[in-house]
Amino acid sequence: MHVLRLRTERRSELRDITRLVDDALAAAGAGEGVCHLFVPHTTAGLTVNEGADPDVAADIVMQMGRLAPPDAGYRHAEGNADAHVKSVLAGPSLLLPVSGGRLRLGRWQAVFFCEFDGPRQREVWLTFLPAAP
């Protein structure tokens, strides 16, 4: 397992981590198979979406804020209940194809770390599973 470490900058943001994942796959000598990514945090998640236009990530953050606003009368007293709800919507893991040692994504796709309770120091756990011979 490889651990990707990143520092988020805002309370809510989508951070493109595609290059970090590809670099870790290259360092692991990955070939053909799948990459499993997992976020060990309850107020963050992962998603795949358009990486070519940064407005898409900004729109997602904006709409997540409308779906789960911070002041919606939550019972969780820590002040980050909205972040927990948003992390459920994004999900904690991804299973992605790997070909030639790199993620095999669609033309416009990128892998995003979804921060909902930052800024914080975060981790993404990466496991490469080679294809059966």
Side-chain angles (χ1 to χ4, degrees), residues 57-73:
D59 288 343
I60 292 169
V61 169
M62 180 179 62
Q63 289 303 320
M64 291 285 244
R66 288 180 178 160
L67 290 170
D71 57 353

Side-chain angles (χ1 to χ4, degrees), residues 46-119:
L46 294 165
T47 196
V48 173
N49 214 295
E50 181 177 332
D53 181 353
D55 287 339
V56 173
D59 288 343
I60 292 169
V61 169
M62 180 179 62
Q63 289 303 320
M64 291 285 244
R66 288 180 178 160
L67 290 170
D71 57 353
Y74 304 101
R75 292 191 291 189
H76 180 55
E78 193 176 325
N80 64 352
D82 64 307
H84 291 285
V85 172
K86 293 168 188 169
S87 74
V88 168
L89 296 172
S93 66
L94 295 171
L95 188 64
L96 302 168
V98 175
S99 181
R102 298 176 53 88
L103 291 173
R104 181 77 172 167
L105 298 171
R107 180 176 184 173
W108 305 110
Q109 290 180 319
V111 178
F112 289 94
F113 178 85
C114 306
E115 174 64 81
F116 302 119
D117 193 26

Side-chain angles (χ1 to χ4, degrees), residues 21-23 25-34 97-105 128 131:
V21 174
D22 275 340
D23 289 349
L25 289 169
E32 304 297 312
V34 293
V98 175
S99 181
R102 298 176 53 88
L103 291 173
R104 181 77 172 167
L105 298 171
F128 173 71

